């Protein structure tokens, strides 16, 4: 299981269909189940300018939600009252050992998805998507990340199209909206 210091004490912010907080929160782990309520989250794609590569991660095998799947660089949930940008930076430092992200920008401010069940869990998120840049090598937290790699965007495209590779639902779903937007269209 995830460490009690982070996962068991974190709270998710429940939101309306348009991403407005309802005033309700819930414990992160207990809030994810077969009927997960809509809550606020984020996804972030970390890119490297030197070779235009994307950092992808494999979620740790012991995670409750989507264990062992490959996905974008970092995902997470803002704490109640926390700005999304601050949450992205906090989780990048915690999960990836990347305390500094350059040129963080929201590229899909209204992204929303609901997954089919995966090992009994349905993910249901209003999830703005960010892009950021870093030249540093990650030092991932093994509680969060099972594996990682820098990958050219063209190879990422092939990975998403591979029916055998376990890739997160949201990574596949976000791709259609990201591929023609900057900075991804220039990769």
């Amino acid at each position: 299981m995830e460490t009690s210091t982070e996962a068991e004490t974190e709270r998710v912010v429940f939101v309306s269909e348009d991403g407005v907080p309802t005033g309700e929160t819930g414990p992160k782990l207990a809030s994810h189940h077969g009927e997960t309520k809509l809550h606020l989250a984020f996804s972030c794609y970390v890119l490297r300018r030197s070779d235009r590569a994307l950092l992808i991660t494999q979620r740790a095998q012991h995670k409750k939600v989507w264990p062992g799947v490959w996905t974008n660089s970092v995902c997470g949930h803002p704490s109640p009252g926390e700005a999304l940008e601050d949450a992205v930076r906090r989780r990048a430092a915690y999960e990836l050992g990347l305390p500094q992200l350059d040129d963080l920008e929201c590229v899909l401010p209204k992204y929303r998805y609901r997954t089919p069940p995966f090992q009994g869990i349905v993910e249901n998120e209003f999830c703005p998507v960010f892009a950021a840049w870093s030249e540093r090598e990650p030092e991932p937290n093994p509680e969060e990340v099972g594996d990682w790699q820098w990958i050219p965007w063209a190879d990422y495209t092939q990975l998403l199209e591979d029916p055998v590779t376990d890739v997160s639902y949201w990574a596949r779903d976000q791709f259609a909206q990201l591929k023609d937007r900057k900075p991804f269209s220039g990769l």
Side-chain angles (χ1 to χ4, degrees):
M1 288 300 295
E2 296 175 63
T3 61
S4 60
T5 56
E6 274 290 315
E8 291 176 11
T9 59
E10 264 190 275
R11 298 193 67 79
V12 296
V13 176
F14 297 118
V15 295
S16 65
E17 285 294 324
D18 56 357
V20 176
T22 64
E24 295 177 87
T25 66
K28 179 178 133 179
L29 289 179
S31 295
H32 288 83
H33 44 71
E35 297 296 324
T36 304
K37 287 174 62 173
L38 182 61
H39 59 278
L40 189 57
F42 65 83
S43 287
C44 184
Y45 292 74
V46 177
L47 303 162
R48 188 167 60 189
R49 283 194 171 93
S50 61
D51 60 359
R52 314 298 277 175
L54 166 66
L55 176 63
I56 60 171
T57 58
Q58 182 183 39
R59 295 169 62 83
Q61 291 291 339
H62 57 267
K63 288 184 72 72
K64 178 181 177 181
V65 180
W66 291 76
V69 302
W70 285 92
T71 194
N72 53 290
S73 310
V74 62
C75 303
H77 305 87
S79 298
E82 182 181 31
L84 280 167
E85 293 82 359
D86 293 340
V88 172
R89 292 181 193 286
R90 174 177 54 82
R91 290 305 293 185
Y94 177 74
E95 289 188 26
L96 302 174
L98 293 177
Q100 177 68 39
L101 295 176
D102 298 325
D103 300 321
L104 179 66
E105 67 173 315
C106 188
V107 293
L108 290 178
K110 298 191 182 299
Y111 177 71
R112 189 241 188 266
Y113 73 102
R114 186 178 197 277
T115 68
F118 183 83
Q119 299 181 3
I121 305 289
V122 171
E123 192 59 275
N124 187 15
E125 296 182 334
F126 188 92
C127 182
V129 178
F130 291 80
W133 299 85
S134 179
E135 291 299 312
R136 293 182 59 160
E137 286 298 303
E139 297 176 24
N141 179 343
E143 291 297 318
E144 300 292 333
V145 178
D147 199 0
W148 62 276
Q149 63 179 301
W150 290 104
I151 186 171
W153 188 252
D155 292 353
Y156 182 65
T157 300
Q158 290 179 341
L159 179 76
L160 294 175
E161 294 171 354
D162 180 358
V164 177
T165 304
D166 283 334
V167 177
S168 72
Y169 176 93
W170 58 91
R172 289 186 202 273
D173 192 54
Q174 290 167 359
F175 179 75
Q177 296 177 54
L178 291 175
K179 65 182 179 172
D180 297 324
R181 292 179 187 257
K182 289 183 179 184
F184 306 99
S185 61
L187 301 175

